[in-house]
Amino acid sequence: MQNRMLEMEGITKTFPGVTALENVNIQVQKGAIHALVGENGAGKSTLMKVLSGVHPYGTYSGNVYIHGKLCTFKNINESEKEGIVIIHQELALIPELSVAENIFLGNEQAEKGIINWNKTVTKTIDLLKKVGLDVSPLDIIKNIGVGGQQLVEIAKAISREVQLLILDEPTAALNEEDSENLLKLLFEFKKQGITCILISHKLKEVIKVADYVTVLRDGQTIETLSLQKNEVTENQIIKQMVGRDLKKIFPDRYANIGDKVFEIESWTVYHPQQPTKKVLDDVSLYVRKGEIIGIAGLMGAGRTELAMSVFGKSYGRKISGKIYKNGNEITIKNVNEAIEHGLAYVSENRKEYGLILINSVKHNLTLSNLKKVSKRYRVKDYLEVQAAEHLKKQMNIKTSSVEKKVVHLSGGNQQKVVLGKWLFTEPEVLMLDEPTRGIDVGAKFEIYKIINGLAELGKSIIIISSELPELIGICDRIYSLSNGKITGEVNRDNADQEKLMEYMTEEYGRS
Amino acid sequence: METIKISFINNFRRYGMIIALIGIMLLFQILTSGTLLTPLNITNIIMQNSYIIILAIGMMLIIITGNIDLSVGSVAAFVGAISAIMMISFDLPILLAVFLCLVLGAVIGAWQGFWIAYVNIPSFIVTLAGMLLFRGLTLVVLDGQTISSYPNNFKSISTGFIPDIIPGSPLNVLTMIVGVLFSIFYVGSEWKRRKDQKSFGLDTGVFTIFLTKVMLLTAVILTLTYILASYAGIPYVLITLFVLVVGYTSVMNNTIYGRHIYTVGGNESAARLSGVKTKKMTFGVFVNMGILAAICGLVFSARLNAATPTAGNLFELDAIAAAFIGGASMKGGVGTVMGAVIGALVMGVLNNGMSLMGIGTDWQQAIKGFVLLAAVAFDIVSKNKGS
């Protein structure tokens, strides 16, 4: 009992009309890595908000004890004083400030109100060493990449003498290499006696690093498994999370592949700000009718840039190369022409580039093809509602009404709205950039099913993903992209992770 | 009963500003012991506020795209000055002069829209520059002087009334006929819309609420016509306003252009990647504002019967205030044309009511500032509660 760091007992939290948490119990041992898993909407974030005082004491029932002492946090400052720090999925850094300024933001190294910059910088160097980040304290945050930013957040946490570090989906936006580093860091913390709560959808990671895993479902604790003694498999956890046996992570696929539909030849793109830097170099690839191809690459390999530059020159400068559709060369000058040629691009960042969050499901679904629900430039409400209802059914979007604002939907359902929007443009070639990022297992399966269904309808699909198992699970053919160049091409049958990883890291860092 | 209650609460939130407007009118009706709603004063309120309403419509569109326009007052003054020079100094035909003024407004809008949409300079800066630039140019072309006495026909766009078919009758008969025809048309179109929605299986809302809404609005239309008819009839400027409000509401709600304008303010990157020509839309909204500022300038000069260097001073702030009172959001993406009109009327009735009570302009300003803050605070607080 001595080493029980945290105990949450009988936590119930209700919002008007919804019970978000119902009698949740969780105990975290000191110095352990404790994973918290569950589908989106299972209540993980709410639980952490209760813990950190975002939902103040008194707005929930049940008790939170730290080292056996009852906590009555009224706000996040009080929980930070106790050494509890949350690192959110959306990072809370100021992009225009330096690394050092960000780390000591709100905790400035000042004497009599004057900041001591030398002290700040030396301390920052020390912290950066601890988290293994090789940047200067004076580098500007926006220039150091997502992986680096995540580490800066952690450095910030350590600077506040953290005792309980809560990481919300820390590796969602990271490539495999950065993820690996981050997880190693967690082991390092464990040695130092820092307790971690890790929220993650990536069960492989969880099994690898965590000592305990607590499964939440529909706002209730299902069970806590000890990973130290028992051999727990991914499927066991998934079963607890979804409450049913999910036989397969990937649905069956019956490929019926036809002729070449879309082809890119010698595609070269320069960086928009650095005129001599090639972001993509002589990229050629093709996709056939009814085929699903994958593009595997580490972050910064040029995956998103490839899709965006093809999609109506939405990225880059001095774009050269040829695009063929059904054997004929075409030119695509802007997004509208791309849509007219039957292209669709589902962005990796649905909130920023995919959805108008403050608009309704209906308006988002029809946005890219309003002409289809209009007569002489007038949008017809009844046509629009019919179309939206149809897509809602086809995509299995869970929403009480198509009039509901998209911002209130869960991540998986938002992604279905984006897919539905592009389906409504009747595309022939769909480019899906990280289509399952930040989505729970159940919704992922549904998205895969939708993708398969589209391929069966004869659409050609290009999937960009940093999750290799995903690409191997659903693609017919996979290209690897490294440093803006295609470094390999493998068929589904002889694709394995090690080989692809090798291709993906080829030439990496050479130029 | 429960559904009626919920529906009522939702409607209350939606129509909150209309209810506030009615409240303010009733308050001043009592405070001025009945002067506010006299036929003469109602006619005055419409004529006094027409030019702000015209600006507020355009400003609402600008704010919906996430921009702002500080130059409208100066642009209105500049166009007014040019109109005076054309009509008074050069004796150009009225229609030609009006047409040229609208073109001038469009060109000014295009000038500002170009810098904002295609060079990516923040609209605040571009229109702040425009505010200084066009105020300066107004002084230059007028040489600091006031030019006055427009032709009578031109003046009537702002001060004229529709003629009566039976001259000398106590009520303006044509006005009454127009009012009655319009309310019949209104009831019919609302009825048809409900029937259409029903036939497509859409949610039509609670019937009692629908009926109350239609009856209330019909009563308002008929009362307003009666009040106008018992003074001098429908002012021409009210017809202009009516056409603008109905036209812009329809564009914003029912057309692809309108939908695209909302998405530009809602999330520009997502809109661009969805095939919305975001730059063209932003440019277009500023061209449109230029034209509306020109109309405002013409109506205001016609009302003053003069073009003065100080015309349109602070109009931009009234128009911006009207848009925000009417439910616009600083972040863009939300707001309605009708909201802007209501917002302008709230300010207008406050001005008028306080003037009738003999409150000085000093206190009027202070009170208006407070009302702006209170209205937006009410809106934000009630929205936070709603979500």
Side-chain angles (χ1 to χ4, degrees), chain A residues 311 314 335-336 339 351-356 363 367-368 370-371 374 377-379 382 384-386 421-422, chain B residues 197 200 202 250 254-257 259-260 263 266-267 269-277 332-334 387:
Chain A
F311 192 64
S314 302
V335 175
N336 283 288
I339 295 174
K351 282 183 185 159
E352 223 167 288
Y353 296 114
L355 294 166
I356 318 280
H363 284 184
L367 175 60
S368 286
L370 275 171
K371 273 186 194 142
S374 306
Y377 283 96
R378 288 182 75 84
V379 181
Y382 53 88
E384 194 175 20
V385 175
Q386 272 184 334
K421 169 176 96 172
W422 285 109
Chain B
Q197 283 177 338
F200 280 94
L202 305 181
S250 161
N254 301 326
T255 68
I256 295 180
Y257 296 120
R259 196 63 71 72
H260 282 183
T263 60
N267 181 347
S269 321
R272 193 176 57 242
L273 281 174
S274 302
V276 175
K277 291 168 180 152
V334 289
S387 65

CSV table of all heavy atoms in Angstrom, one decimal, chain A residues 311 314 335-336 339 351-356 363 367-368 370-371 374 377-379 382 384-386 421-422, chain B residues 197 200 202 250 254-257 259-260 263 266-267 269-277 332-334 387:
chain,number,residue,atom,x,y,z
A,311,PHE,N,-2.8,17.3,-56.0
A,311,PHE,CA,-4.2,17.8,-55.9
A,311,PHE,C,-4.3,19.3,-56.1
A,311,PHE,O,-4.4,20.1,-55.2
A,311,PHE,CB,-4.7,17.4,-54.5
A,311,PHE,CG,-6.2,17.6,-54.3
A,311,PHE,CD1,-7.1,16.8,-55.0
A,311,PHE,CD2,-6.7,18.5,-53.4
A,311,PHE,CE1,-8.4,17.0,-54.9
A,311,PHE,CE2,-8.1,18.7,-53.2
A,311,PHE,CZ,-8.9,17.9,-54.0
A,314,SER,N,-1.7,22.3,-54.6
A,314,SER,CA,-1.9,23.0,-53.3
A,314,SER,C,-0.7,23.1,-52.4
A,314,SER,O,-0.7,23.6,-51.3
A,314,SER,CB,-3.0,22.2,-52.5
A,314,SER,OG,-4.2,22.1,-53.3
A,335,VAL,N,-7.6,23.2,-57.3
A,335,VAL,CA,-8.4,22.2,-56.7
A,335,VAL,C,-9.6,21.9,-57.5
A,335,VAL,O,-10.0,20.7,-57.6
A,335,VAL,CB,-8.8,22.6,-55.2
A,335,VAL,CG1,-9.7,21.6,-54.6
A,335,VAL,CG2,-7.5,22.8,-54.4
A,336,ASN,N,-10.3,22.9,-58.0
A,336,ASN,CA,-11.5,22.6,-58.8
A,336,ASN,C,-11.2,21.7,-60.0
A,336,ASN,O,-12.0,20.8,-60.3
A,336,ASN,CB,-12.1,24.0,-59.3
A,336,ASN,CG,-12.8,24.7,-58.2
A,336,ASN,OD1,-13.8,24.2,-57.7
A,336,ASN,ND2,-12.2,25.7,-57.7
A,339,ILE,N,-10.8,18.2,-58.8
A,339,ILE,CA,-12.1,17.6,-58.5
A,339,ILE,C,-12.8,17.2,-59.8
A,339,ILE,O,-13.4,16.1,-59.9
A,339,ILE,CB,-13.0,18.6,-57.6
A,339,ILE,CG1,-12.4,18.8,-56.3
A,339,ILE,CG2,-14.4,18.0,-57.5
A,339,ILE,CD1,-13.1,19.8,-55.4
A,351,LYS,N,-9.2,18.4,-38.8
A,351,LYS,CA,-9.8,19.6,-38.2
A,351,LYS,C,-9.4,20.8,-38.9
A,351,LYS,O,-10.1,21.8,-39.0
A,351,LYS,CB,-9.4,19.6,-36.7
A,351,LYS,CG,-10.3,18.7,-35.9
A,351,LYS,CD,-10.0,18.8,-34.4
A,351,LYS,CE,-10.7,17.7,-33.7
A,351,LYS,NZ,-10.2,17.4,-32.4
A,352,GLU,N,-8.1,20.8,-39.4
A,352,GLU,CA,-7.6,22.0,-40.0
A,352,GLU,C,-7.9,22.1,-41.5
A,352,GLU,O,-8.2,23.2,-42.0
A,352,GLU,CB,-6.1,22.2,-39.7
A,352,GLU,CG,-5.7,23.6,-39.3
A,352,GLU,CD,-4.3,23.6,-38.8
A,352,GLU,OE1,-4.1,23.1,-37.7
A,352,GLU,OE2,-3.4,24.0,-39.5
A,353,TYR,N,-7.8,21.0,-42.1
A,353,TYR,CA,-7.9,21.0,-43.6
A,353,TYR,C,-9.1,20.2,-44.2
A,353,TYR,O,-9.3,20.2,-45.4
A,353,TYR,CB,-6.6,20.5,-44.2
A,353,TYR,CG,-5.4,21.3,-43.9
A,353,TYR,CD1,-4.4,20.8,-43.2
A,353,TYR,CD2,-5.3,22.6,-44.4
A,353,TYR,CE1,-3.3,21.5,-42.9
A,353,TYR,CE2,-4.2,23.4,-44.1
A,353,TYR,CZ,-3.2,22.8,-43.4
A,353,TYR,OH,-2.1,23.6,-43.1
A,354,GLY,N,-9.8,19.6,-43.3
A,354,GLY,CA,-10.9,18.7,-43.8
A,354,GLY,C,-12.3,19.2,-43.6
A,354,GLY,O,-13.2,19.1,-44.4
A,355,LEU,N,-12.5,19.9,-42.4
A,355,LEU,CA,-13.9,20.1,-42.0
A,355,LEU,C,-14.0,21.6,-41.6
A,355,LEU,O,-13.1,22.3,-41.2
A,355,LEU,CB,-14.2,19.3,-40.7
A,355,LEU,CG,-14.2,17.8,-40.9
A,355,LEU,CD1,-14.2,17.2,-39.5
A,355,LEU,CD2,-15.5,17.4,-41.7
A,356,ILE,N,-15.3,22.1,-41.8
A,356,ILE,CA,-15.6,23.4,-41.3
A,356,ILE,C,-16.3,23.0,-40.0
A,356,ILE,O,-17.5,22.7,-40.0
A,356,ILE,CB,-16.6,24.1,-42.2
A,356,ILE,CG1,-16.2,24.0,-43.6
A,356,ILE,CG2,-16.7,25.6,-41.7
A,356,ILE,CD1,-15.1,24.9,-44.1
A,363,HIS,N,-23.9,20.5,-44.2
A,363,HIS,CA,-23.2,21.5,-45.0
A,363,HIS,C,-21.8,21.0,-45.3
A,363,HIS,O,-21.3,21.2,-46.4
A,363,HIS,CB,-23.1,22.8,-44.3
A,363,HIS,CG,-24.4,23.5,-44.3
A,363,HIS,ND1,-24.5,24.8,-43.8
A,363,HIS,CD2,-25.6,23.2,-44.8
A,363,HIS,CE1,-25.8,25.2,-44.0
A,363,HIS,NE2,-26.4,24.3,-44.6
A,367,LEU,N,-20.3,20.2,-49.3
A,367,LEU,CA,-19.5,21.4,-49.7
A,367,LEU,C,-18.7,21.3,-51.0
A,367,LEU,O,-18.7,22.2,-51.8
A,367,LEU,CB,-18.5,21.7,-48.5
A,367,LEU,CG,-17.5,22.8,-48.8
A,367,LEU,CD1,-18.2,24.1,-49.1
A,367,LEU,CD2,-16.6,23.0,-47.6
A,368,SER,N,-18.1,20.1,-51.2
A,368,SER,CA,-17.3,20.0,-52.4
A,368,SER,C,-18.1,19.8,-53.7
A,368,SER,O,-17.5,19.8,-54.8
A,368,SER,CB,-16.3,18.9,-52.3
A,368,SER,OG,-15.3,19.3,-51.4
A,370,LEU,N,-21.6,21.2,-54.3
A,370,LEU,CA,-22.9,21.9,-54.1
A,370,LEU,C,-23.7,21.9,-55.3
A,370,LEU,O,-25.0,21.9,-55.2
A,370,LEU,CB,-22.7,23.3,-53.5
A,370,LEU,CG,-22.4,23.4,-52.0
A,370,LEU,CD1,-22.0,24.8,-51.7
A,370,LEU,CD2,-23.7,23.1,-51.3
A,371,LYS,N,-23.1,21.8,-56.5
A,371,LYS,CA,-23.8,21.9,-57.7
A,371,LYS,C,-24.8,20.7,-57.8
A,371,LYS,O,-25.9,20.8,-58.4
A,371,LYS,CB,-22.9,21.8,-58.9
A,371,LYS,CG,-22.4,23.2,-59.3
A,371,LYS,CD,-21.5,23.1,-60.6
A,371,LYS,CE,-20.8,24.4,-60.7
A,371,LYS,NZ,-19.5,24.2,-61.2
A,374,SER,N,-28.0,21.6,-56.3
A,374,SER,CA,-28.5,22.9,-56.6
A,374,SER,C,-29.2,22.9,-58.0
A,374,SER,O,-29.0,22.0,-58.8
A,374,SER,CB,-27.3,23.9,-56.7
A,374,SER,OG,-26.6,23.9,-55.5
A,377,TYR,N,-27.7,27.5,-59.5
A,377,TYR,CA,-26.9,28.1,-58.5
A,377,TYR,C,-27.7,28.3,-57.1
A,377,TYR,O,-27.1,28.8,-56.2
A,377,TYR,CB,-26.3,29.4,-58.9
A,377,TYR,CG,-25.1,29.3,-59.8
A,377,TYR,CD1,-25.3,29.3,-61.2
A,377,TYR,CD2,-23.9,29.0,-59.3
A,377,TYR,CE1,-24.2,29.1,-62.0
A,377,TYR,CE2,-22.8,28.8,-60.1
A,377,TYR,CZ,-23.0,28.9,-61.4
A,377,TYR,OH,-21.9,28.7,-62.2
A,378,ARG,N,-28.9,27.8,-57.1
A,378,ARG,CA,-29.6,27.9,-55.8
A,378,ARG,C,-29.6,26.5,-55.1
A,378,ARG,O,-30.0,25.5,-55.7
A,378,ARG,CB,-31.1,28.3,-56.0
A,378,ARG,CG,-31.2,29.8,-56.4
A,378,ARG,CD,-32.7,30.1,-56.5
A,378,ARG,NE,-33.3,30.2,-55.2
A,378,ARG,CZ,-33.3,31.3,-54.5
A,378,ARG,NH1,-32.6,32.4,-54.9
A,378,ARG,NH2,-33.9,31.4,-53.3
A,379,VAL,N,-29.1,26.5,-53.9
A,379,VAL,CA,-29.0,25.2,-53.2
A,379,VAL,C,-30.4,24.9,-52.7
A,379,VAL,O,-31.1,25.7,-52.1
A,379,VAL,CB,-28.0,25.4,-52.0
A,379,VAL,CG1,-27.9,24.0,-51.2
A,379,VAL,CG2,-26.7,25.8,-52.4
A,382,TYR,N,-34.1,20.6,-49.7
A,382,TYR,CA,-34.6,19.2,-49.6
A,382,TYR,C,-33.6,18.2,-50.3
A,382,TYR,O,-33.4,17.1,-49.8
A,382,TYR,CB,-36.0,19.0,-50.2
A,382,TYR,CG,-36.2,19.6,-51.6
A,382,TYR,CD1,-35.9,18.8,-52.7
A,382,TYR,CD2,-36.6,20.9,-51.8
A,382,TYR,CE1,-36.1,19.3,-54.0
A,382,TYR,CE2,-36.7,21.5,-53.1
A,382,TYR,CZ,-36.5,20.7,-54.2
A,382,TYR,OH,-36.6,21.2,-55.4
A,384,GLU,N,-30.4,18.7,-50.5
A,384,GLU,CA,-29.3,18.6,-49.7
A,384,GLU,C,-29.5,17.6,-48.5
A,384,GLU,O,-28.6,16.8,-48.2
A,384,GLU,CB,-28.9,20.0,-49.1
A,384,GLU,CG,-27.6,20.1,-48.5
A,384,GLU,CD,-27.2,21.5,-48.1
A,384,GLU,OE1,-28.1,22.3,-48.0
A,384,GLU,OE2,-26.0,21.7,-48.0
A,385,VAL,N,-30.7,17.7,-47.9
A,385,VAL,CA,-30.9,16.9,-46.7
A,385,VAL,C,-31.0,15.4,-47.2
A,385,VAL,O,-30.4,14.5,-46.6
A,385,VAL,CB,-32.3,17.3,-46.0
A,385,VAL,CG1,-32.6,16.3,-45.0
A,385,VAL,CG2,-32.1,18.6,-45.4
A,386,GLN,N,-31.6,15.2,-48.3
A,386,GLN,CA,-31.7,13.8,-48.9
A,386,GLN,C,-30.3,13.2,-49.1
A,386,GLN,O,-30.0,12.1,-48.7
A,386,GLN,CB,-32.4,13.8,-50.2
A,386,GLN,CG,-33.9,13.7,-50.0
A,386,GLN,CD,-34.6,13.6,-51.4
A,386,GLN,OE1,-34.1,14.1,-52.4
A,386,GLN,NE2,-35.7,12.9,-51.4
A,421,LYS,N,-17.9,13.4,-47.7
A,421,LYS,CA,-17.8,14.6,-48.5
A,421,LYS,C,-17.1,14.4,-49.8
A,421,LYS,O,-17.6,14.8,-50.9
A,421,LYS,CB,-17.0,15.7,-47.7
A,421,LYS,CG,-16.7,16.9,-48.5
A,421,LYS,CD,-16.0,18.0,-47.7
A,421,LYS,CE,-14.5,17.9,-47.8
A,421,LYS,NZ,-13.9,19.0,-47.2
A,422,TRP,N,-16.0,13.6,-49.8
A,422,TRP,CA,-15.3,13.4,-51.0
A,422,TRP,C,-16.0,12.3,-51.9
A,422,TRP,O,-16.0,12.4,-53.1
A,422,TRP,CB,-13.9,13.0,-50.7
A,422,TRP,CG,-13.1,14.2,-50.3
A,422,TRP,CD1,-12.7,14.5,-49.1
A,422,TRP,CD2,-12.8,15.3,-51.2
A,422,TRP,NE1,-12.1,15.7,-49.1
A,422,TRP,CE2,-12.2,16.3,-50.4
A,422,TRP,CE3,-13.1,15.6,-52.5
A,422,TRP,CZ2,-11.8,17.5,-50.8
A,422,TRP,CZ3,-12.7,16.9,-53.0
A,422,TRP,CH2,-12.0,17.8,-52.2
B,197,GLN,N,-41.3,21.2,-47.2
B,197,GLN,CA,-40.5,20.5,-46.3
B,197,GLN,C,-41.1,19.2,-45.9
B,197,GLN,O,-40.5,18.1,-45.7
B,197,GLN,CB,-40.2,21.3,-45.0
B,197,GLN,CG,-39.2,22.4,-45.3
B,197,GLN,CD,-39.0,23.3,-44.1
B,197,GLN,OE1,-39.9,23.4,-43.3
B,197,GLN,NE2,-37.9,24.0,-44.0
B,200,PHE,N,-41.0,16.3,-48.3
B,200,PHE,CA,-39.7,15.6,-48.3
B,200,PHE,C,-39.4,15.0,-47.0
B,200,PHE,O,-38.3,14.5,-46.8
B,200,PHE,CB,-38.6,16.6,-48.7
B,200,PHE,CG,-38.6,16.8,-50.2
B,200,PHE,CD1,-39.3,17.9,-50.8
B,200,PHE,CD2,-37.9,15.9,-51.1
B,200,PHE,CE1,-39.3,18.1,-52.1
B,200,PHE,CE2,-37.9,16.1,-52.4
B,200,PHE,CZ,-38.6,17.2,-52.9
B,202,LEU,N,-39.0,16.2,-44.1
B,202,LEU,CA,-38.1,17.0,-43.2
B,202,LEU,C,-38.8,17.4,-41.9
B,202,LEU,O,-40.1,17.5,-41.9
B,202,LEU,CB,-37.6,18.2,-43.9
B,202,LEU,CG,-36.9,17.9,-45.3
B,202,LEU,CD1,-36.4,19.2,-45.8
B,202,LEU,CD2,-35.8,16.9,-45.1
B,250,SER,N,-31.3,35.9,-49.4
B,250,SER,CA,-31.5,34.8,-50.3
B,250,SER,C,-30.2,34.3,-50.9
B,250,SER,O,-29.9,33.1,-50.9
B,250,SER,CB,-32.4,35.2,-51.5
B,250,SER,OG,-32.3,34.3,-52.5
B,254,ASN,N,-29.3,30.5,-49.8
B,254,ASN,CA,-29.7,29.5,-50.8
B,254,ASN,C,-28.8,29.3,-52.0
B,254,ASN,O,-29.1,28.5,-52.8
B,254,ASN,CB,-31.1,29.9,-51.4
B,254,ASN,CG,-32.1,30.0,-50.3
B,254,ASN,OD1,-32.1,29.3,-49.3
B,254,ASN,ND2,-33.1,31.0,-50.4
B,255,THR,N,-27.7,30.1,-52.0
B,255,THR,CA,-26.9,29.9,-53.2
B,255,THR,C,-25.6,29.4,-52.9
B,255,THR,O,-25.1,29.4,-51.7
B,255,THR,CB,-26.7,31.3,-54.0
B,255,THR,OG1,-25.8,32.1,-53.2
B,255,THR,CG2,-28.0,32.0,-54.3
B,256,ILE,N,-24.9,28.8,-53.9
B,256,ILE,CA,-23.6,28.3,-53.7
B,256,ILE,C,-22.6,29.4,-53.3
B,256,ILE,O,-21.8,29.2,-52.4
B,256,ILE,CB,-23.1,27.6,-55.1
B,256,ILE,CG1,-24.0,26.4,-55.4
B,256,ILE,CG2,-21.7,27.2,-55.0
B,256,ILE,CD1,-23.7,25.7,-56.6
B,257,TYR,N,-22.8,30.6,-53.9
B,257,TYR,CA,-21.9,31.7,-53.4
B,257,TYR,C,-22.0,31.9,-51.9
B,257,TYR,O,-21.0,32.0,-51.2
B,257,TYR,CB,-22.3,33.0,-54.2
B,257,TYR,CG,-22.1,32.9,-55.6
B,257,TYR,CD1,-23.2,33.1,-56.5
B,257,TYR,CD2,-20.9,32.7,-56.2
B,257,TYR,CE1,-23.0,33.1,-57.9
B,257,TYR,CE2,-20.7,32.6,-57.5
B,257,TYR,CZ,-21.8,32.8,-58.4
B,257,TYR,OH,-21.6,32.8,-59.7
B,259,ARG,N,-23.0,29.9,-49.6
B,259,ARG,CA,-22.4,28.9,-48.8
B,259,ARG,C,-20.9,29.0,-48.8
B,259,ARG,O,-20.3,28.8,-47.7
B,259,ARG,CB,-22.9,27.5,-49.4
B,259,ARG,CG,-22.7,26.4,-48.5
B,259,ARG,CD,-23.5,26.5,-47.2
B,259,ARG,NE,-24.9,26.3,-47.5
B,259,ARG,CZ,-25.5,25.2,-47.8
B,259,ARG,NH1,-24.8,24.1,-47.9
B,259,ARG,NH2,-26.8,25.1,-48.0
B,260,HIS,N,-20.4,29.3,-49.9
B,260,HIS,CA,-18.9,29.4,-50.0
B,260,HIS,C,-18.4,30.5,-49.1
B,260,HIS,O,-17.3,30.4,-48.5
B,260,HIS,CB,-18.5,29.6,-51.4
B,260,HIS,CG,-18.5,28.3,-52.2
B,260,HIS,ND1,-18.1,28.1,-53.5
B,260,HIS,CD2,-18.9,27.0,-51.8
B,260,HIS,CE1,-18.2,26.9,-53.9
B,260,HIS,NE2,-18.7,26.2,-52.9
B,263,THR,N,-18.1,29.3,-45.6
B,263,THR,CA,-17.0,28.4,-45.4
B,263,THR,C,-15.6,29.1,-45.4
B,263,THR,O,-14.8,28.7,-44.7
B,263,THR,CB,-16.9,27.3,-46.5
B,263,THR,OG1,-16.7,27.9,-47.7
B,263,THR,CG2,-18.2,26.5,-46.4
B,266,GLY,N,-15.4,30.1,-42.0
B,266,GLY,CA,-15.4,29.0,-41.0
B,266,GLY,C,-14.1,28.2,-40.9
B,266,GLY,O,-13.7,27.9,-39.8
B,267,ASN,N,-13.5,28.0,-42.1
B,267,ASN,CA,-12.2,27.4,-42.1
B,267,ASN,C,-11.6,27.5,-43.5
B,267,ASN,O,-11.9,26.7,-44.4
B,267,ASN,CB,-12.3,25.9,-41.7
B,267,ASN,CG,-10.9,25.2,-41.7
B,267,ASN,OD1,-10.0,25.7,-42.2
B,267,ASN,ND2,-10.9,24.0,-41.1
B,269,SER,N,-8.6,27.1,-44.9
B,269,SER,CA,-7.8,26.0,-45.5
B,269,SER,C,-8.7,24.8,-46.0
B,269,SER,O,-8.5,24.3,-47.1
B,269,SER,CB,-6.8,25.4,-44.5
B,269,SER,OG,-6.3,26.4,-43.7
B,270,ALA,N,-9.6,24.4,-45.1
B,270,ALA,CA,-10.5,23.3,-45.5
B,270,ALA,C,-11.3,23.7,-46.7
B,270,ALA,O,-11.6,22.9,-47.6
B,270,ALA,CB,-11.4,22.9,-44.3
B,271,ALA,N,-11.8,25.0,-46.7
B,271,ALA,CA,-12.6,25.4,-47.8
B,271,ALA,C,-11.8,25.3,-49.1
B,271,ALA,O,-12.3,24.9,-50.1
B,271,ALA,CB,-13.1,26.8,-47.6
B,272,ARG,N,-10.6,25.8,-49.1
B,272,ARG,CA,-9.7,25.8,-50.3
B,272,ARG,C,-9.5,24.4,-50.8
B,272,ARG,O,-9.7,24.1,-52.0
B,272,ARG,CB,-8.4,26.5,-50.0
B,272,ARG,CG,-7.6,26.8,-51.3
B,272,ARG,CD,-6.4,27.6,-51.0
B,272,ARG,NE,-5.5,26.9,-50.0
B,272,ARG,CZ,-5.2,27.3,-48.8
B,272,ARG,NH1,-5.6,28.5,-48.4
B,272,ARG,NH2,-4.4,26.6,-48.0
B,273,LEU,N,-9.2,23.5,-49.9
B,273,LEU,CA,-9.0,22.1,-50.3
B,273,LEU,C,-10.3,21.4,-50.6
B,273,LEU,O,-10.3,20.2,-51.1
B,273,LEU,CB,-8.3,21.3,-49.1
B,273,LEU,CG,-6.8,21.6,-49.0
B,273,LEU,CD1,-6.2,20.9,-47.8
B,273,LEU,CD2,-6.1,21.1,-50.3
B,274,SER,N,-11.4,22.0,-50.4
B,274,SER,CA,-12.7,21.4,-50.8
B,274,SER,C,-13.1,22.0,-52.2
B,274,SER,O,-14.3,21.8,-52.6
B,274,SER,CB,-13.8,21.7,-49.8
B,274,SER,OG,-13.4,21.1,-48.6
B,275,GLY,N,-12.3,22.8,-52.8
B,275,GLY,CA,-12.6,23.4,-54.1
B,275,GLY,C,-13.3,24.7,-54.0
B,275,GLY,O,-13.8,25.2,-55.1
B,276,VAL,N,-13.4,25.4,-52.9
B,276,VAL,CA,-13.9,26.7,-52.8
B,276,VAL,C,-12.8,27.7,-53.2
B,276,VAL,O,-11.7,27.6,-52.8
B,276,VAL,CB,-14.4,27.1,-51.4
B,276,VAL,CG1,-14.8,28.5,-51.3
B,276,VAL,CG2,-15.5,26.1,-50.9
B,277,LYS,N,-13.2,28.6,-54.2
B,277,LYS,CA,-12.2,29.6,-54.6
B,277,LYS,C,-12.1,30.7,-53.5
B,277,LYS,O,-12.7,31.8,-53.7
B,277,LYS,CB,-12.5,30.1,-56.0
B,277,LYS,CG,-12.4,29.1,-57.0
B,277,LYS,CD,-13.0,29.5,-58.3
B,277,LYS,CE,-12.8,28.4,-59.4
B,277,LYS,NZ,-13.9,28.4,-60.4
B,332,GLY,N,-15.4,34.8,-37.5
B,332,GLY,CA,-16.0,34.6,-38.9
B,332,GLY,C,-16.8,33.3,-38.9
B,332,GLY,O,-16.9,32.6,-37.9
B,333,GLY,N,-17.4,33.2,-40.1
B,333,GLY,CA,-18.2,31.9,-40.3
B,333,GLY,C,-19.6,31.9,-39.8
B,333,GLY,O,-20.4,31.1,-40.2
B,334,VAL,N,-20.0,32.9,-39.0
B,334,VAL,CA,-21.4,33.0,-38.6
B,334,VAL,C,-22.0,34.4,-38.7
B,334,VAL,O,-21.2,35.4,-38.8
B,334,VAL,CB,-21.6,32.5,-37.1
B,334,VAL,CG1,-21.4,31.0,-37.0
B,334,VAL,CG2,-20.7,33.3,-36.2
B,387,SER,N,-24.2,25.2,-25.4
B,387,SER,CA,-23.5,24.1,-25.9
B,387,SER,C,-23.0,23.2,-24.8
B,387,SER,O,-23.1,23.5,-23.6
B,387,SER,CB,-22.2,24.6,-26.6
B,387,SER,OG,-21.4,25.3,-25.7
